[in-house]
Amino acid sequence: MPPSRIRVQSRRPSSQAATFLVPGTPVFVGERKQDQASLHLIHFDHERLHEVEGASLADCQERLRAHGVTWVNVNGVHDVGLIDTLGDLFGLHPMTREDIADTSQRPKWEEFPSYGFMALKMLGVNETTREVEIEHVSLILGSNWVLTFLEDDGDVFTSVRSRIRSGNGRVRKQGADYLAFSLIDAVIDHYFLAVEWTGDEIELFDDHVLNNPNHLRIEEIHHFKRALLVLRRAVWPMREVMGAVMTSEGGLIRRETHVFWRNLHDHAVQVIDLVETCRDTLASLQDTYLSSLSNRMNEVMKTLTIISTIFIPLTFIAGVYGMNFQHMPELSWRLGYRAVLALMVALAVALMLMFRRRGWL
């Protein structure tokens, strides 16, 4: 069974709505993926955990005053009013609010006096639709709080929530910078899954190209190339983003967590290497397709040439005795017809044996 064509669910959002506006004005740019924005609040320290699904702004404000780490996850960046309200509560710069609402934002890291802002892309594989889904994520790291903004309620943070709820690992014993590291680590781990899944699909497609190189395959090859281009745009900037975090001097990243962030940088480089490997495989796949198509055409031409070579002398003999001249001595032979047929059959068999001996058949 041939592989399904992978698709990357990523539409280029229109930014016309933000044209000619004052810089720092939050305007939603993208595709609205849910009706109403919602908040999910988790507040914890090494002993206590407080979690509120569908939290209010009052809940967030109350937990900011308490001891521990506060994580507020916002599902739905289309609600610019909510972004502005949270911006006032957490002291976010107007340019940060604008970047949160812009889902076309390129991955980056920016530092402000009281927080750091990171824009990145989240990848996920939808096995049902055979799609690699891309979602824009904004992460803001403060001294004792973390804000994450997602386009909808689907994310890759389930493992992080499980560790927080169970108290396993370091996340409950560390600060907000370790929580931010854990969230980004979950995102990059899914980069590996998405890119490796894409690579497996390309390898499977490579086998089918060798077995059946037809003219429809070139369209599918270009589809793979476009999909990898979208993945590369999402993954490639993460190396410089992690590098910028590693050189941060704002005090948001503590010395004891530097080693974890350095590991994220290494993982980002590994993902980029995987993407480049897939691109190289796809480039060689196109060469393989063209070679296979050429070889198949050569086989067809060789078969037609052999058939033509066999029938050329037979056609010549039939043409000579089809000229109907009155004084052709063979026309009066009683066994002339049978003799000519026998000659033609013998000649055809002799040519086929010669071709087989030379390895052409």
Side-chain angles (χ1 to χ4, degrees):
M1 181 178 178
S4 302
R5 291 174 53 183
I6 67 165
R7 295 175 289 176
V8 176
Q9 190 183 70
S10 177
R11 301 179 181 178
R12 179 173 295 179
S14 173
S15 58
Q16 294 180 355
T19 306
F20 306 121
L21 294 178
V22 176
T25 303
V27 176
F28 174 63
V29 178
E31 179 185 0
R32 183 167 177 168
K33 296 185 177 180
Q34 66 180 43
D35 295 332
Q36 188 173 1
S38 61
L39 300 179
H40 182 204
L41 169 68
I42 297 180
H43 180 87
F44 62 88
D45 55 24
H46 67 284
E47 295 179 348
R48 292 178 296 273
L49 171 67
H50 180 79
E51 183 174 1
V52 180
E53 183 74 37
S56 64
L57 294 174
D59 294 328
C60 299
Q61 189 171 16
E62 177 185 355
R63 289 297 159 181
L64 277 178
R65 302 192 190 101
H67 173 74
V69 177
T70 301
W71 172 24
V72 179
N73 182 70
V74 181
N75 298 319
V77 295
H78 60 274
D79 191 343
V80 293
L82 178 60
I83 294 175
D84 264 336
T85 304
L86 287 172
D88 294 338
L89 177 61
F90 288 89
L92 303 183
H93 192 277
M95 296 304 296
T96 301
R97 306 181 193 188
E98 180 181 355
D99 290 341
I100 292 172
D102 185 2
T103 61
S104 65
Q105 183 62 244
R106 183 178 183 271
K108 65 176 182 178
W109 166 261
E110 289 183 341
E111 286 191 67
F112 294 85
S114 60
Y115 65 89
F117 169 74
M118 180 181 295
L120 65 159
K121 303 297 181 181
M122 182 171 62
L123 306 183
V125 177
N126 190 325
E127 295 288 352
T128 302
T129 60
R130 310 292 292 177
E131 290 181 343
V132 176
E133 298 176 338
I134 299 182
E135 182 179 350
H136 181 72
V137 179
S138 297
L139 184 145
I140 304 173
L141 170 62
S143 58
N144 64 337
W145 51 268
V146 173
L147 282 176
T148 51
F149 292 84
L150 308 177
E151 295 183 56
D152 56 28
D153 56 1
D155 59 43
V156 299
F157 301 144
T158 303
S159 61
V160 180
R161 294 189 183 97
S162 298
R163 295 203 304 271
I164 294 175
R165 290 164 183 160
S166 64
N168 295 329
R170 301 182 180 90
V171 64
R172 290 274 293 272
K173 304 173 185 178
Q174 299 287 340
D177 56 342
Y178 188 86
L179 172 61
F181 153 76
S182 300
L183 297 174
I184 300 171
D185 183 54
V187 171
I188 294 181
D189 283 346
H190 280 73
Y191 284 2
F192 282 102
L193 297 178
V195 176
E196 288 174 356
W197 180 83
T198 304
D200 292 340
E201 291 292 312
I202 292 175
E203 290 180 3
L204 185 60
F205 180 70
D206 191 6
D207 295 336
H208 288 275
V209 166
L210 289 174
N211 297 330
N212 184 24
N214 56 57
H215 66 282
L216 297 177
R217 298 296 187 187
I218 192 65
E219 179 184 350
E220 298 181 42
I221 290 175
H222 284 294
H223 175 81
F224 275 109
K225 292 177 70 174
R226 289 192 296 269
L228 275 179
L229 181 61
V230 174
L231 291 179
R232 188 173 185 268
R233 287 175 179 170
V235 171
W236 187 267
M238 288 304 295
R239 178 169 59 181
E240 62 184 68
V241 169
M242 291 298 104
V245 174
M246 290 301 302
T247 58
S248 170
E249 297 180 354
L252 294 172
I253 309 299
R254 296 174 299 155
R255 183 183 300 274
E256 53 266 33
T257 59
H258 259 270
V259 63
F260 299 107
W261 289 89
R262 190 162 59 244
N263 186 59
L264 279 185
H265 180 270
D266 294 340
H267 285 179
V269 173
Q270 291 175 20
V271 173
I272 293 172
D273 290 341
L274 284 176
V275 172
E276 293 305 309
T277 300
C278 289
R279 283 165 57 88
D280 293 341
T281 302
L282 196 58
S284 64
L285 174 59
Q286 186 167 1
D287 295 337
T288 301
Y289 163 77
L290 295 175
S291 299
S292 300
L293 201 61
S294 178
N295 290 338
R296 188 176 183 186
M297 183 63 67
N298 290 339
E299 290 293 327
V300 172
M301 294 303 298
K302 184 177 74 172
T303 302
L304 294 177
T305 301
I306 290 174
I307 294 173
S308 300
T309 303
I310 292 174
F311 276 90
I312 283 174
L314 306 184
T315 305
F316 172 75
I317 295 173
V320 168
Y321 287 99
M323 291 188 292
N324 295 324
F325 287 115
Q326 185 176 1
H327 300 289
M328 292 182 68
E330 292 85 356
L331 295 179
S332 59
W333 290 359
R334 185 173 181 178
L335 300 176
Y337 172 70
R338 297 179 181 178
V340 170
L341 285 182
L343 175 63
M344 294 172 70
V345 170
L347 186 58
V349 171
L351 288 173
M352 292 179 66
L353 290 175
M354 184 187 71
F355 292 150
R356 181 175 293 276
R357 181 176 298 177
R358 291 176 175 265
W360 297 350
L361 281 177

